[in-house]
Amino acid sequence: MIPSILPTYNRAPLNFVKGEGCWLTEADGRRFLDLGSGIAVTLLGHAHPALVDALTKQANALWHVSNLYQIPGQQALADQLVDATFADTVFFTNSGTEACELAIKMARKYWYEKGEADRIEILAFEGCFHGRSTAAIAASGAEKMVQGFGPVLPGFTQLPFGDHEALRAAVTDKTAAIMIEPVQGEGGIMPLPDACLKGLRDVCDETGALLIADEVQCGMGRTGKLFAHEWAGITPDIMMVAKGIGGGFPLGAVLATENAASGMVAGTHGSTYGGNPLAMSVGNAVMNIVTEDAFLAEVNRKAGALRQKLESLIAEHPDVFETVRGSGLMLGIKCKATNIDVVNAGYEAGVITVPAADNVIRLLPALTITDDDISEALTRLDKAARLVKST
Ligand SMILES: *Cc1c(COP(=O)(O)O)cnc(C)c1O
C-alpha cells in the first residue's frame, strides 16, 4: 500500500524536534551538530533570535494580501538586494525552482521582444541542478531526472562543466542564455574556476547571450562573498537566489539587470505567495545580518579554519576521505568510502552532513557557526571516519 506521504524521498530515521544555532535535538534527546543546514537553507542557524523576532512580529500583524496590493517588505528587500548587487530589479518566488522558471522565461522573452523569437536555446552544464519542474529537469538533462517525464521541454543543451572550447563551439545565434552554478551543489561541490566564469561572461558579451547565475545554493554569503560570482569579478545578467535567503522560511528571488528584465512587463509573470509579508520579514532580517560590516570577513576566517582542520582529518583517514573542495562554507569532501556510509556514520557520531554526486559529502554549516562548533565538528567527523573503518 502506498504510504500516506508520497514515497519520493529516502529519509533517514531521524526526527528532529528542536533547533538552536548549529544544533538539532532528536525526539529521543540526542543532540546533533548540523553541518547540512537543511541543504544550505538555515543560513544563520536554527531559531536565530532576529529572524524569530521578525517572523513573530509579522505573524501578529499580517500574513498575506497577494500581489494585488503594495507589500512594503518587498520594496525594502528588493532595495536591499539592488543596493548590494549588480541587479536593477527583483522578483520574489517561494523556491529555487520557481526562480529557475522565471530566469528561463525572462531570457526567452528578452529575445522575443528583440524580434528574435527563435532565439530560445539555453546552454546548461553536465552535473547541474536547477530544480524539479519540467523546465528545470530539461535544463539538467540528466537521465535520472527526466526519464519517464517526457516529452522533455525543448531548447536545452548540456555542456561539459568548465570546457571553454566546447562552450565556444556550442554558442550560436539561437543561444538565448547560458545558465551556470558558479559552484555546483548537488553535482558534488564543483567550483567553476574564476577564469571559466570570466570566459563565460566574455562569450556572452560577444554574442549577446544572457548569463544566468544559479546562486540558489552558493549565494547569500555562503562562499564568503555575498554572491559567488563576485570572486571572478564579473556580473551575470540574471541571478536565481533561494535557500539561504529565507534562512529556513520558503523564499526565492530572481535578480536581473534592467536590460535583461526589459521584456517582463505587467501581466507577464506572477505568483500568489511570492514576496508574501511573512517571507519578506525574514528575508529582510537575513539581509540585514549578512550585509553587516565584518560578517563576511568572519565567514572567510571560519571557512579557512574549518578547511585547514578538514585537510588534517583527511590526511588521518586516507581510506575514508580523499580531498576537500569548494569555497567558503560550501565544502565537499570527496570520499574513498561510500559517501552514504560516511553520512550514516555521521548520524551515529552525532554530526549531520549531506551527500552529493561524485561520492561527495557536503558541509554547509550555518554561516554563524562558532569556533567551538567547528572544533566539535572535527571531533565528530573523526569519530564518524573511525566508525566507517570499523564496519
Ligand atoms: C536547491 C537548488 C535549486 C532548487 O531549489 P528548490 O527551492 O528546491 O526549488 C535550484 N538550483 C540550485 C543550485 C539548488 O541548489
Side-chain angles (χ1 to χ4, degrees), residues 25-89:
T25 308
E26 220 273 350
D28 64 9
R30 277 179 298 161
R31 294 184 79 230
F32 290 77
L33 184 53
D34 183 9
L35 303 181
S37 305
I39 319 184
V41 167
T42 49
L43 190 80
L44 303 176
H46 298 282
H48 190 291
L51 275 51
V52 172
D53 186 50
L55 182 61
T56 310
K57 280 206 178 95
Q58 188 61 51
N60 282 310
L62 180 66
W63 287 24
H64 181 82
V65 293
S66 91
N67 287 302
L68 293 170
Y69 313 104
Q70 308 293 319
I71 297 176
Q74 269 188 34
Q75 189 64 55
L77 184 52
D79 288 347
Q80 288 216 65
L81 289 166
V82 164
D83 282 349
T85 67
F86 72 96
D88 302 311
T89 189

Side-chain angles (χ1 to χ4, degrees), residues 94-98 129-131 181 185-186 214 216-217 240 242-243:
N94 311 289
S95 69
T97 300
E98 290 163 88
F129 181 84
H130 300 297
E181 291 161 84
E186 305 304 308
D214 180 348
V216 168
Q217 194 160 152
M240 297 147 56
K243 293 198 166 96

Side-chain angles (χ1 to χ4, degrees), residues 64-327:
H64 181 82
V65 293
S66 91
N67 287 302
L68 293 170
Y69 313 104
Q70 308 293 319
I71 297 176
Q74 269 188 34
Q75 189 64 55
L77 184 52
D79 288 347
Q80 288 216 65
L81 289 166
V82 164
D83 282 349
T85 67
F86 72 96
D88 302 311
T89 189
V90 181
F91 182 94
F92 293 107
T93 69
N94 311 289
S95 69
T97 300
E98 290 163 88
C100 177
E101 289 293 315
L102 174 55
I104 292 164
K105 285 177 70 176
M106 185 183 281
R108 288 179 171 167
K109 188 70 159 40
Y110 172 86
W111 290 110
Y112 176 86
E113 293 296 335
K114 290 223 171 325
E116 297 188 45
D118 59 349
R119 193 162 174 173
I120 54 101
E121 282 287 333
I122 313 277
L123 298 181
F125 295 86
E126 288 166 7
C128 72
F129 181 84
H130 300 297
R132 297 288 196 159
S133 65
T134 42
I137 62 175
S140 128
E143 182 84 4
K144 67 167 191 180
M145 299 267 284
V146 298
Q147 195 172 44
F149 299 115
V152 179
L153 196 69
F156 296 90
T157 306
Q158 294 78 32
L159 303 171
F161 192 67
D163 180 342
H164 201 65
E165 295 308 309
L167 172 77
R168 287 221 166 242
V171 177
T172 69
D173 58 3
K174 297 287 172 286
T175 306
I178 300 174
M179 182 181 273
I180 183 106
E181 291 161 84
V183 183
Q184 281 190 347
E186 305 304 308
I189 310 293
M190 303 285 279
L192 188 71
D194 289 349
C196 292
L197 204 47
K198 284 199 187 91
L200 279 180
R201 181 70 265 174
D202 289 343
V203 171
C204 288
D205 288 343
E206 286 162 31
T207 60
L210 298 172
L211 183 60
I212 303 173
D214 180 348
E215 297 231 13
V216 168
Q217 194 160 152
C218 63
M220 291 306 293
R222 180 142 296 279
T223 68
K225 295 265 193 203
L226 186 56
F227 290 102
H229 66 262
E230 295 171 28
W231 288 109
I234 60 106
T235 57
D237 301 291
I238 299 172
M239 177 165 70
M240 297 147 56
V241 181
K243 293 198 166 96
I245 191 173
F249 198 93
L251 172 59
V254 173
L255 281 66
T257 63
E258 182 167 14
N259 180 48
S262 55
M264 303 305 297
V265 298
T268 53
H269 196 65
S271 164
T272 296
Y273 291 122
N276 141 311
L278 294 172
M280 294 300 97
S281 68
V282 184
N284 274 299
V286 170
M287 266 302 276
N288 287 342
I289 291 169
V290 175
T291 56
E292 271 170 11
D293 280 351
F295 183 86
L296 292 177
E298 260 300 278
V299 171
N300 284 300
R301 183 189 65 75
K302 287 184 290 196
L306 174 58
R307 192 166 182 138
Q308 203 174 6
K309 290 190 162 102
L310 289 173
E311 299 279 6
S312 319
L313 176 79
I314 290 165
E316 271 176 50
H317 300 286
D319 37 359
V320 179
F321 303 124
E322 262 182 50
T323 48
V324 57
R325 64 195 187 207
S327 179

